[in-house]
Amino acid sequence: MTPSPAPRTSREAGLRVDAERNRQRIVTAAREVFAESGLEVPIEDIAKRAGVGVGTLYRRYPTRGELIAAAFEDKMTAYAEATRQALAEPDPWQGFCGYVEKICAMQAGDRGFTTVLTMTFPMAKRFEADRDQAFADFKVLVERAKAAGKLRADFVTEDMPMFLMANAGVLTATGDAAPDTWRRLVGYLIQACAAQAAQPLPDPPAPRQLYKAMLRATWQQRERRARKEK
């Protein structure tokens, strides 16, 4: 007969509660700090915001990548949900416009968001699955809007990362001085996507070229932040 497991002591239960409370504090602090300052903030700043020791943070999240994935899990789920909602819109063009506005708004509210989209997190299977599904759904959304005759025929999926990089530049330049300027940029971009407004465009960059450009932009942001901290 298999013996029953030993009952959990109140001390063990208390330790589990404390560990979960610390995990929630760390993830909440990481979300806040990443949104405010980007992904390269010192881990010590996050631990301080969470009210835990650095050792406690590292025991729960041994690498920065694991901490980033945990902090952005809900945001990535919302990102994937945005594409599902766009596909559910009866009018493909309205679905496309709403998607562009939603993703740019997510970017405006979180400085680390677009950087996360250029990173890989092999240890976070759900995170990666949500991102892959979001991209697949976006491709379908684009094709539907084109088939409806509303989205310009030469729009490519690589244009969306280009929009986000342009939006990031406006967000950085306007900051607190004119925080809603990005909305006007997005309005211009959406109008430029309309089929009736289409004019010939230069060829788009290859996907690999654009990915390298996004990585370079991320690296430049890190360097600027590092110089400011010196």
Side-chain angles (χ1 to χ4, degrees):
M1 184 174 178
T2 304
S4 300
R8 188 178 297 158
T9 66
S10 58
R11 175 176 171 77
E12 289 173 334
L15 289 173
R16 289 176 65 87
V17 170
D18 287 344
E20 176 58 20
R21 186 181 296 117
N22 284 338
R23 186 195 69 80
Q24 293 177 358
R25 287 175 177 170
I26 292 168
V27 170
T28 298
R31 286 173 182 158
E32 293 172 353
V33 175
F34 287 149
E36 294 166 4
S37 306
L39 302 184
E40 295 305 308
V41 295
I43 292 297
E44 292 78 7
D45 290 0
I46 297 172
K48 183 178 180 181
R49 177 77 66 94
V52 302
V54 175
T56 297
L57 188 153
Y58 275 120
R59 279 194 296 273
R60 189 62 183 82
Y61 299 104
T63 68
R64 182 180 291 267
E66 289 173 284
L67 178 59
I68 290 172
F72 283 90
E73 184 176 9
D74 289 347
K75 183 62 69 71
M76 187 58 71
T77 299
Y79 175 62
E81 180 61 26
T83 54
R84 286 192 288 269
Q85 291 177 356
L87 284 175
E89 170 63 48
D91 184 335
W93 173 244
Q94 291 302 317
F96 175 83
C97 295
Y99 173 82
V100 173
E101 291 172 349
K102 180 74 172 287
I103 300 307
C104 288
M106 290 175 67
Q107 180 186 30
D110 193 326
R111 288 183 59 182
F113 174 61
T114 47
T115 305
V116 169
L117 297 181
T118 71
M119 302 172 68
T120 57
F121 302 90
M123 80 298 290
K125 302 300 182 184
R126 177 184 167 186
F127 190 96
E128 292 287 282
D130 279 343
R131 179 169 54 187
D132 291 346
Q133 187 60 54
F135 181 70
D137 287 345
F138 179 58
K139 290 174 68 175
V140 174
L141 179 65
V142 167
E143 292 309 312
R144 286 185 181 179
K146 287 182 180 180
K150 300 294 186 65
L151 177 63
R152 57 186 304 148
D154 55 358
F155 182 92
V156 293
T157 54
E158 289 77 28
D159 286 333
M160 189 64 204
M162 182 178 68
F163 287 3
L164 292 175
M165 286 191 286
N167 195 38
V170 169
L171 289 166
T172 298
T174 57
D176 295 333
D180 288 333
T181 305
W182 68 273
R183 297 182 185 278
R184 186 171 177 84
L185 170 69
V186 173
Y188 272 124
L189 293 174
I190 289 175
Q191 289 184 34
C193 288
Q196 65 268 26
Q199 297 293 329
L201 290 172
D203 292 337
R208 184 62 185 169
Q209 291 176 313
L210 190 61
Y211 180 71
K212 289 175 65 176
M214 293 177 70
L215 290 179
R216 184 179 297 112
T218 299
W219 179 253
Q220 289 171 346
Q221 290 175 4
R222 293 174 182 174
E223 287 187 325
R224 287 196 295 269
R225 195 173 301 120
R227 286 197 294 270
K228 289 181 181 179
E229 292 173 354
K230 289 182 178 179

